[in-house]
Amino acid sequence: MQEQNDMFMEEKMMWKVGQCIYDLRVQKNLSQQQLADLSMIPQTEMHQIENGYQLPDDLNLHLMAMALDVYPSSILKADPVPRRTYWEFMELYDRTMSLLDQVIEYNQAYMKVIDEIVADYPQMQSYLAAKLPKESQSEERREEQSLTQNPTLAKEENSATNTIDTANVQQQAEKPSDLQTGAEAKPNKPDQQTPKLGGF
């Protein structure tokens, strides 16, 4: 079954290749004999190829592709791709080189910016190191100025602090000490023992 499938696929490919060669020959207004002469094969073999009974070998395929102005690999795929001329290759080369020049210019500008950042980094670091302490000092000064400008706010903060301190003192005063607790827990021993009454 697998062999039959392989044979079917091979016959299908040969038929497609032959049809592709026939269509290209008609487009070029070439007779079968003319294409056979350009491909260096007999007309009978060209007839077999166009009718899908065999495939051209590598040399005949390349000669045939040159005569039909297509790429050899595109004939085997039955999807012909026109061969580029010399001037088309030169135009493509010029466009490619122009794009490469633009990429080089962009990379040079990018590296220039990187070098400037690296050169300015120590100055930026020293600037930030000098600026951060000043900002912290300026914030402290702002707080002091706000307190001096708003005496009511300063009094409220002081009264809140005094209230907390007073509450802590009262809690410590109300809490009994360990010595007093131990003294209260122990009962007082009597100075003299109670005499026992005899006879009862």
Side-chain angles (χ1 to χ4, degrees), residues 118-134:
V118 172
D120 294 339
Y121 180 74
Q123 297 180 358
M124 293 172 61
Q125 194 173 14
S126 60
Y127 171 76
L128 292 175
K131 187 177 180 181
L132 289 176
K134 291 181 180 179

Side-chain angles (χ1 to χ4, degrees), residues 154-169:
K155 289 180 181 180
E156 290 178 356
E157 290 183 356
N158 292 329
S159 62
T161 304
N162 294 330
T163 304
I164 294 172
D165 294 337
T166 305
N168 291 333
V169 171

